[in-house]
Amino acid sequence: MARFAYVNGRYLPHGQAAVHIEDRGYQFGDGVYEVVTVAAGRMIDEGPHLDRLERSLSEIAMDMPVSRRAVQLLGRELVRRNGVRNGLLYIQVTRGVAPRDHKFPKLARPALVMTTKHIDFAAQPKFTEGVKVITIPDERWARRDIKTIGLLPNCLGKQRAAESGAYEAWQVDDDGLVTEGTSSNAWIVTADGRLVTRHLGSEILHGVTRRTILAIAAEECIALDERPFGVDEAKAAAEAFVTSATSFVTPVVRIDEAVIGDGIPGPLSRRLLAWYRDYATGLRDTG
Ligand code: PDD
């Protein structure tokens, strides 16, 4: 099936979709993005993703390039044209094309680009076998709540993880506390069954999946703590997992050399994944 990308008002064949070399996203990383999961043909948590897009834009002094409703409809149309039943919609907004100069251009029009990807969320061993994470220093800027396309430290971290045979790298702040993964939020389950994830602030991205998992856990009366946890606490935890639009709930069975729990996905992680799948396929309405 032909694959299309949306580029500034047009659906173009993916191979021909391009932006100018002086797009500020390309030169400065001056832009923000969203990744929205598509499951069984439906956009998961579309509203919260659009909320976060608006917030990221406003934090970098930009408006939505078109109305919120238009972004929604353009994204849905791209998903439809590309026949995506399961996968993701990528939305990117940059400050547009202008001769290179750090300060904001007066005339540039924001650029809106969208692509899709097919992903088979069912057949992935990471959900059944769990994954390894490594720990690395958090070397990013201080505004990690903004979903910027400037992801160099995240890419370096993910590459280090891949070279160590790991799925993700948990970034650790100067106090030895885990902030988050390079493209996911970090969670542990304590020996007495409490779910722990770092509190919101500028140190982490405010994950949409994190938000949904907190809502599901609250509904299921699971004890929750939104607080930082250290690497030592994580290594000694009963369970660990990561969440993101594409990871859903992915159990973590090793952190560096430490085996977590019994070295297999823990019971709470598995239940949360099952509940999240129900939510994603419309069998549950938390959100
Ligand atoms: N990443 N933290 C970081 C640094 C992220 O990049 C992401 C998402 C998350 C999880 O957020 P959410 O639950 O809203 O997906 C946390 C996306 C998937 C990406 O960059 O591909």
Side-chain angles (χ1 to χ4, degrees):
M1 179 186 301
R3 212 167 130 221
F4 294 95
Y6 174 86
V7 187
N8 293 324
R10 293 192 297 164
Y11 294 99
L12 298 173
H14 188 265
Q16 292 163 29
V19 293
H20 194 273
I21 54 163
E22 290 209 290
D23 184 277
R24 288 177 63 92
Y26 182 57
Q27 287 186 329
F28 294 118
D30 186 0
V32 298
Y33 75 105
E34 280 299 323
V35 175
V36 188
T37 305
V38 183
R42 290 171 55 246
M43 224 79 92
I44 309 309
D45 286 327
E46 188 184 40
H49 281 288
L50 291 174
D51 291 345
R52 189 171 63 189
L53 179 63
E54 285 180 326
R55 178 177 183 276
S56 293
L57 284 168
S58 102
E59 292 297 309
I60 65 163
M62 284 184 69
D63 294 324
M64 287 283 259
V66 293
S67 71
R68 177 189 170 103
R69 180 76 180 139
V71 174
Q72 186 182 52
L73 294 177
L74 292 166
R76 287 183 187 179
E77 174 61 15
L78 185 67
V79 164
R80 193 196 64 76
R81 283 191 191 210
N82 287 342
V84 180
R85 292 283 304 157
N86 294 292
L88 62 83
L89 170 68
Y90 176 80
I91 308 172
Q92 175 179 295
V93 182
T94 67
R95 209 177 300 272
V97 175
R100 187 176 183 279
D101 181 359
H102 290 64
K103 61 185 182 301
F104 297 170
K106 291 215 168 61
L107 293 175
R109 263 193 312 127
L112 172 61
V113 167
M114 298 192 212
T115 55
T116 63
K117 202 166 161 182
H118 294 268
I119 303 174
D120 182 355
F121 292 115
Q124 292 191 22
K126 69 182 182 190
F127 294 126
T128 45
E129 291 166 19
V131 297
K132 175 183 168 187
V133 303
I134 58 167
T135 55
I136 60 169
D138 198 332
E139 293 173 339
R140 297 172 298 162
W141 73 328
R143 289 302 307 278
R144 301 156 193 162
D145 55 315
I146 300 173
K147 199 161 172 58
T148 169
I149 58 171
L151 289 173
L152 184 55
N154 308 58
C155 295
L156 294 174
K158 190 74 99 185
Q159 180 61 24
R160 262 180 76 178
E163 286 169 6
S164 314
Y167 175 76
E168 179 60 295
W170 278 7
Q171 300 166 107
V172 180
D173 70 15
D174 291 344
D175 299 321
L177 301 169
V178 174
T179 53
E180 60 182 336
T182 63
S183 64
S184 58
N185 288 114
W187 302 69
I188 57 169
V189 180
T190 62
D192 55 351
R194 300 185 74 85
L195 200 50
V196 184
T197 195
R198 194 170 173 123
H199 58 288
L200 297 183
S202 54
E203 298 79 16
I204 63 166
L205 185 76
H206 301 187
V208 169
T209 320
R210 173 191 181 283
R211 177 183 178 275
T212 299
I213 292 298
L214 284 176
I216 292 174
E219 258 182 32
E220 298 292 339
C221 300
I222 293 159
L224 297 170
D225 295 315
E226 288 183 72
R227 63 161 174 87
F229 56 85
V231 174
D232 290 346
E233 184 181 3
K235 288 182 178 174
E239 299 182 35
F241 60 90
V242 302
T243 58
S244 79
T246 44
S247 299
F248 291 14
V249 175
T250 296
V252 171
V253 294
R254 242 172 83 187
I255 302 174
D256 297 329
E257 295 318 315
V259 174
I260 305 306
D262 301 328
I264 54 169
L268 184 53
S269 312
R270 284 190 280 117
R271 268 153 65 212
L272 286 166
L273 173 60
W275 288 326
Y276 186 76
R277 280 191 191 281
D278 287 348
Y279 173 71
T281 49
L283 296 174
R284 186 187 173 107
D285 355 298
T286 310

